[in-house]
Short mmCIF file of all heavy atoms in Angstrom, two decimals:
data_model
loop_
_atom_site.label_atom_id
_atom_site.label_comp_id
_atom_site.label_asym_id
_atom_site.label_seq_id
_atom_site.Cartn_x
_atom_site.Cartn_y
_atom_site.Cartn_z
N GLU J 684 127.40 165.64 61.35
CA GLU J 684 126.39 166.60 60.94
C GLU J 684 125.31 165.91 60.05
O GLU J 684 124.13 166.21 60.24
CB GLU J 684 127.07 167.73 60.17
CG GLU J 684 126.13 168.87 59.80
CD GLU J 684 125.54 169.56 61.02
OE1 GLU J 684 126.19 169.61 62.09
OE2 GLU J 684 124.35 170.00 60.95
N MET J 685 125.69 165.05 59.16
CA MET J 685 124.77 164.29 58.33
C MET J 685 123.87 163.41 59.22
O MET J 685 122.66 163.31 58.97
CB MET J 685 125.57 163.37 57.31
CG MET J 685 126.10 164.13 56.14
SD MET J 685 127.10 163.04 55.07
CE MET J 685 125.88 161.81 54.58
N ALA J 686 124.46 162.80 60.21
CA ALA J 686 123.70 161.95 61.13
C ALA J 686 122.65 162.76 61.89
O ALA J 686 121.51 162.36 62.06
CB ALA J 686 124.64 161.22 62.13
N ARG J 687 123.08 163.98 62.37
CA ARG J 687 122.14 164.84 63.10
C ARG J 687 120.96 165.26 62.22
O ARG J 687 119.82 165.32 62.62
CB ARG J 687 122.89 166.06 63.66
CG ARG J 687 123.64 165.77 64.95
CD ARG J 687 124.08 167.08 65.60
NE ARG J 687 125.22 167.70 64.91
CZ ARG J 687 126.52 167.42 65.17
NH1 ARG J 687 126.82 166.62 66.16
NH2 ARG J 687 127.44 168.02 64.51
N ASP J 688 121.29 165.59 60.92
CA ASP J 688 120.25 165.98 59.97
C ASP J 688 119.27 164.85 59.74
O ASP J 688 118.06 165.07 59.65
CB ASP J 688 120.89 166.42 58.61
CG ASP J 688 121.59 167.77 58.76
OD1 ASP J 688 121.38 168.47 59.73
OD2 ASP J 688 122.40 168.08 57.84
N GLU J 689 119.81 163.64 59.63
CA GLU J 689 118.98 162.47 59.37
C GLU J 689 118.06 162.20 60.54
O GLU J 689 116.85 161.92 60.40
CB GLU J 689 119.85 161.21 59.13
CG GLU J 689 119.10 159.98 58.74
CD GLU J 689 118.39 160.07 57.40
OE1 GLU J 689 119.02 160.50 56.41
OE2 GLU J 689 117.18 159.78 57.35
N ILE J 690 118.59 162.30 61.75
CA ILE J 690 117.81 162.10 62.97
C ILE J 690 116.68 163.17 63.05
O ILE J 690 115.55 162.85 63.31
CB ILE J 690 118.67 162.18 64.23
CG1 ILE J 690 119.62 160.95 64.31
CG2 ILE J 690 117.83 162.23 65.50
CD1 ILE J 690 120.74 161.08 65.33
N GLU J 691 117.10 164.44 62.81
CA GLU J 691 116.11 165.54 62.92
C GLU J 691 114.95 165.38 61.92
O GLU J 691 113.78 165.48 62.27
CB GLU J 691 116.81 166.87 62.67
CG GLU J 691 115.96 168.09 62.97
CD GLU J 691 116.67 169.41 62.70
OE1 GLU J 691 117.90 169.39 62.70
OE2 GLU J 691 115.97 170.36 62.43
N ALA J 692 115.33 165.05 60.63
CA ALA J 692 114.29 164.87 59.61
C ALA J 692 113.39 163.71 59.93
O ALA J 692 112.16 163.78 59.73
CB ALA J 692 114.96 164.67 58.25
N SER J 693 113.97 162.59 60.38
CA SER J 693 113.16 161.41 60.67
C SER J 693 112.25 161.59 61.86
O SER J 693 111.12 161.17 61.90
CB SER J 693 114.10 160.18 60.86
OG SER J 693 114.83 159.89 59.72
N GLU J 694 112.77 162.24 62.89
CA GLU J 694 111.96 162.50 64.10
C GLU J 694 110.84 163.46 63.83
O GLU J 694 109.76 163.36 64.45
CB GLU J 694 112.88 163.05 65.26
CG GLU J 694 113.69 162.00 65.88
CD GLU J 694 114.58 162.51 67.03
OE1 GLU J 694 114.81 163.72 67.08
OE2 GLU J 694 114.99 161.66 67.89
N GLU J 695 111.09 164.36 62.87
CA GLU J 695 110.02 165.30 62.50
C GLU J 695 108.84 164.59 61.76
O GLU J 695 107.67 164.89 61.98
CB GLU J 695 110.60 166.39 61.58
CG GLU J 695 109.64 167.57 61.38
CD GLU J 695 110.25 168.65 60.47
OE1 GLU J 695 111.49 168.88 60.55
OE2 GLU J 695 109.51 169.27 59.69
N MET J 696 109.21 163.61 60.95
CA MET J 696 108.19 162.90 60.16
C MET J 696 107.53 161.77 60.94
O MET J 696 106.38 161.39 60.65
CB MET J 696 108.85 162.30 58.91
CG MET J 696 109.17 163.28 57.84
SD MET J 696 109.90 162.44 56.37
CE MET J 696 108.55 161.45 55.81
N LEU J 697 108.19 161.24 61.94
CA LEU J 697 107.72 160.03 62.64
C LEU J 697 106.32 160.17 63.22
O LEU J 697 105.50 159.27 63.00
CB LEU J 697 108.73 159.63 63.73
CG LEU J 697 108.55 158.23 64.33
CD1 LEU J 697 108.79 157.18 63.28
CD2 LEU J 697 109.46 158.06 65.52
N PRO J 698 105.97 161.25 63.99
CA PRO J 698 104.62 161.31 64.55
C PRO J 698 103.48 161.24 63.50
O PRO J 698 102.48 160.63 63.70
CB PRO J 698 104.62 162.69 65.28
CG PRO J 698 106.04 162.97 65.50
CD PRO J 698 106.77 162.42 64.33
N LYS J 699 103.69 161.95 62.37
CA LYS J 699 102.71 161.98 61.30
C LYS J 699 102.51 160.56 60.72
O LYS J 699 101.42 160.07 60.58
CB LYS J 699 103.14 162.92 60.18
CG LYS J 699 102.22 162.95 58.98
CD LYS J 699 102.69 164.00 57.92
CE LYS J 699 101.84 163.96 56.72
NZ LYS J 699 102.06 162.72 55.85
N VAL J 700 103.61 159.87 60.43
CA VAL J 700 103.49 158.53 59.86
C VAL J 700 102.90 157.56 60.87
O VAL J 700 102.16 156.67 60.52
CB VAL J 700 104.90 158.03 59.34
CG1 VAL J 700 104.83 156.62 58.83
CG2 VAL J 700 105.41 158.96 58.22
N GLU J 701 103.27 157.76 62.19
CA GLU J 701 102.73 156.91 63.22
C GLU J 701 101.21 157.01 63.30
O GLU J 701 100.50 156.05 63.41
CB GLU J 701 103.35 157.24 64.56
CG GLU J 701 102.92 156.32 65.69
CD GLU J 701 103.70 156.60 67.00
OE1 GLU J 701 104.92 156.69 66.92
OE2 GLU J 701 103.02 156.68 68.03
N ARG J 702 100.70 158.32 63.19
CA ARG J 702 99.25 158.52 63.19
C ARG J 702 98.60 157.85 62.00
O ARG J 702 97.55 157.20 62.13
CB ARG J 702 98.98 160.04 63.12
CG ARG J 702 99.00 160.74 64.48
CD ARG J 702 98.35 162.14 64.38
NE ARG J 702 98.85 162.97 63.32
CZ ARG J 702 99.93 163.75 63.43
NH1 ARG J 702 100.60 163.78 64.59
NH2 ARG J 702 100.33 164.51 62.43
N GLU J 703 99.27 157.94 60.82
CA GLU J 703 98.69 157.30 59.64
C GLU J 703 98.64 155.79 59.79
O GLU J 703 97.69 155.15 59.33
CB GLU J 703 99.55 157.67 58.41
CG GLU J 703 99.34 159.14 58.02
CD GLU J 703 100.37 159.64 56.97
OE1 GLU J 703 101.33 158.87 56.66
OE2 GLU J 703 100.19 160.72 56.44
N VAL J 704 99.65 155.21 60.41
CA VAL J 704 99.68 153.79 60.65
C VAL J 704 98.53 153.38 61.57
O VAL J 704 97.83 152.40 61.31
CB VAL J 704 101.05 153.30 61.30
CG1 VAL J 704 100.97 151.89 61.86
CG2 VAL J 704 102.14 153.35 60.25
N LYS J 705 98.34 154.18 62.63
CA LYS J 705 97.27 153.88 63.60
C LYS J 705 95.91 153.98 62.98
O LYS J 705 95.02 153.19 63.24
CB LYS J 705 97.38 154.79 64.80
CG LYS J 705 98.56 154.44 65.72
CD LYS J 705 98.69 155.39 66.91
CE LYS J 705 99.79 154.97 67.82
NZ LYS J 705 99.92 155.88 69.02
N PHE J 706 95.73 154.98 62.08
CA PHE J 706 94.44 155.10 61.39
C PHE J 706 94.17 153.87 60.53
O PHE J 706 93.08 153.32 60.52
CB PHE J 706 94.45 156.36 60.46
CG PHE J 706 94.23 157.64 61.23
CD1 PHE J 706 94.81 158.83 60.75
CD2 PHE J 706 93.51 157.70 62.38
CE1 PHE J 706 94.63 160.03 61.40
CE2 PHE J 706 93.35 158.94 63.11
CZ PHE J 706 93.91 160.08 62.58
N LEU J 707 95.19 153.38 59.84
CA LEU J 707 95.06 152.22 59.01
C LEU J 707 94.80 150.93 59.81
O LEU J 707 94.23 149.98 59.32
CB LEU J 707 96.27 152.02 58.08
CG LEU J 707 96.41 153.06 56.95
CD1 LEU J 707 97.78 152.86 56.27
CD2 LEU J 707 95.34 152.87 55.89
N LEU J 708 95.26 150.95 61.10
CA LEU J 708 95.03 149.79 61.94
C LEU J 708 93.60 149.67 62.45
O LEU J 708 93.13 148.64 62.79
CB LEU J 708 95.98 149.84 63.17
CG LEU J 708 97.44 149.38 62.97
CD1 LEU J 708 98.20 149.73 64.18
CD2 LEU J 708 97.52 147.94 62.62
N VAL J 709 92.86 150.82 62.39
CA VAL J 709 91.44 150.79 62.78
C VAL J 709 90.64 150.03 61.74
O VAL J 709 90.74 150.35 60.55
CB VAL J 709 90.85 152.24 62.92
CG1 VAL J 709 89.38 152.17 63.24
CG2 VAL J 709 91.61 152.97 63.99
N PRO J 710 89.89 149.01 62.16
CA PRO J 710 89.14 148.25 61.15
C PRO J 710 88.23 149.10 60.33
O PRO J 710 87.44 149.93 60.86
CB PRO J 710 88.30 147.28 61.99
CG PRO J 710 89.00 147.19 63.34
CD PRO J 710 89.66 148.54 63.52
N ALA J 711 88.33 148.99 59.02
CA ALA J 711 87.46 149.78 58.10
C ALA J 711 86.07 149.17 58.05
O ALA J 711 85.87 147.99 58.33
CB ALA J 711 88.09 149.77 56.71
N ASP J 712 85.11 150.02 57.70
CA ASP J 712 83.75 149.51 57.45
C ASP J 712 83.88 148.58 56.23
O ASP J 712 84.43 148.94 55.18
CB ASP J 712 82.87 150.73 57.06
CG ASP J 712 81.39 150.34 56.87
OD1 ASP J 712 81.14 149.17 56.48
OD2 ASP J 712 80.52 151.16 57.05
N PRO J 713 83.39 147.33 56.39
CA PRO J 713 83.53 146.37 55.28
C PRO J 713 82.84 146.84 54.00
O PRO J 713 83.15 146.31 52.92
CB PRO J 713 82.89 145.09 55.80
CG PRO J 713 82.07 145.52 57.00
CD PRO J 713 82.74 146.75 57.55
N GLU J 714 81.95 147.80 54.11
CA GLU J 714 81.26 148.28 52.94
C GLU J 714 82.00 149.36 52.14
O GLU J 714 81.66 149.70 51.03
CB GLU J 714 79.90 148.87 53.31
CG GLU J 714 79.06 148.04 54.24
CD GLU J 714 78.80 146.62 53.74
OE1 GLU J 714 78.45 146.50 52.55
OE2 GLU J 714 78.96 145.69 54.51
N ASP J 715 83.06 149.93 52.74
CA ASP J 715 83.73 151.11 52.20
C ASP J 715 84.23 150.87 50.75
O ASP J 715 84.27 151.83 49.96
CB ASP J 715 84.93 151.48 53.06
CG ASP J 715 84.44 152.32 54.31
OD1 ASP J 715 83.25 152.60 54.37
OD2 ASP J 715 85.28 152.67 55.13
N GLY J 716 84.60 149.68 50.41
CA GLY J 716 85.17 149.41 49.06
C GLY J 716 84.11 149.26 48.00
O GLY J 716 84.45 149.16 46.79
N LYS J 717 82.86 149.28 48.38
CA LYS J 717 81.77 149.01 47.39
C LYS J 717 81.44 150.20 46.54
O LYS J 717 81.77 151.33 46.84
CB LYS J 717 80.48 148.55 48.16
CG LYS J 717 80.58 147.19 48.78
CD LYS J 717 79.26 146.88 49.42
CE LYS J 717 79.28 145.52 50.17
NZ LYS J 717 79.12 144.40 49.30
N ASN J 718 80.76 149.91 45.40
CA ASN J 718 80.15 151.00 44.59
C ASN J 718 78.96 151.52 45.42
O ASN J 718 78.63 150.98 46.47
CB ASN J 718 79.64 150.45 43.28
CG ASN J 718 80.76 149.91 42.42
OD1 ASN J 718 81.86 150.44 42.44
ND2 ASN J 718 80.52 148.87 41.64
N ALA J 719 78.34 152.59 44.96
CA ALA J 719 77.22 153.19 45.71
C ALA J 719 76.04 153.54 44.87
O ALA J 719 76.18 153.80 43.66
CB ALA J 719 77.75 154.46 46.42
N ILE J 720 74.90 153.56 45.51
CA ILE J 720 73.68 154.12 44.92
C ILE J 720 73.51 155.49 45.54
O ILE J 720 73.43 155.60 46.79
CB ILE J 720 72.44 153.23 45.21
CG1 ILE J 720 72.65 151.83 44.61
CG2 ILE J 720 71.20 153.90 44.62
CD1 ILE J 720 72.68 151.73 43.10
N LEU J 721 73.41 156.52 44.73
CA LEU J 721 73.28 157.92 45.21
C LEU J 721 71.85 158.38 44.90
O LEU J 721 71.39 158.30 43.77
CB LEU J 721 74.26 158.79 44.48
CG LEU J 721 74.08 160.32 44.61
CD1 LEU J 721 74.48 160.76 46.01
CD2 LEU J 721 74.99 161.06 43.62
N GLU J 722 71.14 158.81 45.94
CA GLU J 722 69.77 159.32 45.76
C GLU J 722 69.72 160.76 46.27
O GLU J 722 70.24 161.08 47.34
CB GLU J 722 68.80 158.57 46.71
CG GLU J 722 68.71 157.08 46.50
CD GLU J 722 67.78 156.43 47.51
OE1 GLU J 722 67.30 157.16 48.42
OE2 GLU J 722 67.57 155.24 47.45
N ILE J 723 69.11 161.60 45.47
CA ILE J 723 68.89 163.01 45.88
C ILE J 723 67.40 163.29 45.71
O ILE J 723 66.84 163.09 44.62
CB ILE J 723 69.73 163.96 45.03
CG1 ILE J 723 71.22 163.62 45.07
CG2 ILE J 723 69.54 165.43 45.55
CD1 ILE J 723 72.07 164.38 44.10
#
């Protein structure tokens, strides 16, 4: 029963974490980490 609960909980979380991993794999804009000048 513990094993089934562990599988169920992990399988439920896996797609979300997989999406997050894939987003992080996309190359970021090299400027994203910089400070900014804001004009209004």
Side-chain angles (χ1 to χ4, degrees):
E684 186 60 33
M685 282 176 61
R687 279 192 287 267
D688 288 345
E689 185 65 50
I690 292 168
E691 189 181 337
S693 297
E694 283 183 339
E695 191 179 326
M696 286 181 65
L697 193 66
K699 176 178 176 287
V700 176
E701 185 173 312
R702 276 196 307 273
E703 289 169 351
V704 166
K705 287 178 175 180
F706 283 149
L707 288 171
L708 280 170
V709 176
D712 183 333
E714 313 304 314
D715 280 356
K717 290 182 183 279
N718 297 326
I720 300 293
L721 170 69
E722 302 174 356
I723 305 170

